[in-house]
Amino acid sequence: MEFILVTPQAQPHVALIQLNRPKELNALNLQLMGELRDALKELDDNDEVRAIIITGNERAFAAGADIKQMAGKTAIDMLNIDQFSTWDQIRKTKKPIIAAVSGFALGGGCELAMTCDMIIASETAMFGQPEIKIGVMPGAGGTQRLTKAIGKAKAMEMVLTGKFMPAEEAEKQGLINRVVPVELYLDEAFKLAAEIAKMSPVAIKLAKESVNRSFETQLDEGLHFERKNFYLCFASEDQTEGMNAFVEKRAPEFKGR
Ligand code: CAA
C-alpha cells in the first residue's frame, strides 16, 4: 500500500486506515481508492475486526478526487475508467465504518466521509462540495447523500456555490455525529468504535444493512443519474478550463460551452 496506512488491530477489534498523501491533502487518486477498497475488503473478511475507522491527518481528511489526474479526461475516458465501481465496492463493506475528520473534507473527501456510517469531526473540519468551481459537479454521491443528510435547500446551496460548511454547523445540520477539539477527534472515534465493538458482530452487521436499506433503492438510482451527469461535464470546455485553472493556480473563465 503506497497511499494508505492500515493497522488491523489499532485497538482491540478496531482497525484504523489512514489516508496518506499529505502533500496533496490526501487527494483521492485512482490508486489510493483501489488500495482503500482492497484494505476494506480484507478488514471486512477479518473476524478479529468489528469496526473500522478511516482518517486523514489534522490538515485534511481528503481534498477531493485528484483534479490533476482528471483534468485532461474526456467524458468517454471517464466512462471507461469507471472510477466509481471502486466506490460501489467500498459502500458494500458490511462492518461499520467511522470517518474521523479533521481539516478539509471536500468533493470526493466529503463524499467519502458520507459513504462511511458515522462521522466524528474535529472543530477545524470543513465539509464542502466545491466541484462547481472547477466546472463539474459531485460524482461520488454528493448530490444524493448530502441532500438526504441536510435537506434540499442547504445541500443545493453547498453544491451550487461550493461554499464550505464548518464542523459546528455540520453537527447542527445532522451531517455529522459530533464535533470535538482537534486533539480529541481520533480518540472520540476510537471510543465510539469500542462501544460498537462490544456488541454482537452479527447484529451490528444486520443493523447497518437495515439502516442503509431505508434509502438504498432511491440511492442506487440517484447515484446512477449523478454519475452520468458527472461524466457529461467532461464533454464541456468549462470542465477543461476549470480543472486547468486549478492546476495552473488561476481563476477560471467559464463560457458555458
Ligand atoms: N486534486 C489534486 N491536487 C490537489 C487537490 C485535489 N483535489 N487538492 C489539493 N491538491 C494539491 C494542490 O494542488 C497543492 O499541490 P502543489 O503543492 O503541488 O501545488 C497541494 O495539494 C496543497 O494544496 P493548496 O496549495 O491548494 O492548499 P491551500 O491550503 O491553499 O488550499 C484547498 C486548500 C482549499 C483544499 C485547495 O487545495 C482546493 O481548493 N483543492 C481542491 C478542492 C476541490 O475542488 N475538490 C473537488 C475535486 S473534484 C471531485 O472530488 C469530483 C468527485 O466528486 C469525485
Side-chain angles (χ1 to χ4, degrees):
M1 302 281 182
E2 186 181 350
F3 295 130
I4 64 172
L5 302 170
V6 184
T7 315
Q9 292 290 326
Q11 286 192 0
H13 302 302
V14 179
L16 179 69
I17 299 178
Q18 185 180 14
L19 309 179
N20 192 31
R21 285 187 84 199
K23 273 202 253 134
E24 293 80 9
L25 305 184
N26 291 330
L28 305 168
N29 65 11
L30 296 175
Q31 185 183 331
L32 186 155
M33 289 309 296
E35 290 178 6
L36 185 57
R37 172 204 54 210
D38 295 347
L40 284 169
K41 173 82 181 81
E42 242 173 68
L43 296 173
D44 222 20
D45 291 343
N46 177 343
D47 289 342
E48 289 306 307
V49 174
R50 295 185 178 184
I52 300 162
I53 297 171
I54 300 180
T55 195
N57 54 53
E58 231 176 85
R59 185 166 178 225
F61 178 71
D66 191 321
I67 301 169
K68 292 167 189 167
Q69 198 171 47
M70 288 185 298
K73 300 283 186 281
T74 67
I76 301 304
D77 290 336
M78 294 302 285
L79 194 71
N80 287 337
I81 291 167
D82 188 22
Q83 70 195 79
F84 300 119
S85 60
T86 311
W87 291 70
D88 289 338
Q89 285 167 281
I90 288 173
R91 89 183 158 98
K92 300 256 157 66
T93 308
K94 296 190 180 80
K95 289 176 186 165
I97 309 177
I98 300 167
V101 176
S102 181
F104 299 114
L106 304 177
C110 187
E111 290 166 313
L112 179 60
M114 292 191 291
T115 302
C116 297
D117 302 305
M118 289 154 283
I119 304 176
I120 300 292
S122 90
E123 58 204 352
T124 64
M126 282 284 178
F127 298 86
Q129 298 291 159
E131 292 89 343
I132 205 77
K133 293 185 183 166
I134 51 167
V136 293
M137 56 171 278
T143 63
Q144 307 300 299
R145 289 198 179 87
L146 191 64
T147 308
K148 288 192 167 72
I150 66 174
K152 176 178 165 182
K154 297 272 181 195
M156 194 67 92
E157 187 173 345
M158 281 177 80
V159 170
L160 299 194
T161 67
K163 256 190 250 164
F164 301 164
M165 182 181 274
E168 203 182 320
E169 175 73 7
E171 184 183 19
K172 270 195 222 144
Q173 298 302 330
L175 177 62
I176 66 175
N177 294 67
R178 53 192 158 276
V179 44
V180 294
V182 65
E183 60 280 10
L184 292 180
Y185 75 100
L186 203 50
D187 288 350
E188 188 67 21
F190 272 112
K191 263 194 228 163
L192 177 57
E195 261 183 73
I196 293 167
K198 277 192 259 167
M199 309 299 168
S200 152
V202 178
I204 289 284
K205 204 181 283 180
L206 294 173
K208 168 173 168 164
E209 192 184 23
S210 303
V211 172
N212 280 340
R213 187 49 69 96
S214 71
F215 64 93
E216 223 148 48
T217 326
Q218 297 147 297
L219 184 67
D220 267 340
E221 256 174 52
L223 287 177
H224 185 70
F225 194 82
E226 178 194 80
R227 215 167 274 184
K228 294 288 179 204
N229 280 347
F230 177 71
Y231 294 154
L232 190 57
C233 290
F234 284 75
S236 73
E237 288 175 26
D238 284 350
Q239 170 270 329
T240 312
E241 167 63 8
M243 292 197 174
N244 284 344
F246 176 83
V247 175
E248 292 157 16
K249 298 182 190 290
R250 58 176 175 81
E253 265 189 59
F254 293 127
K255 298 212 166 77
R257 285 201 292 269

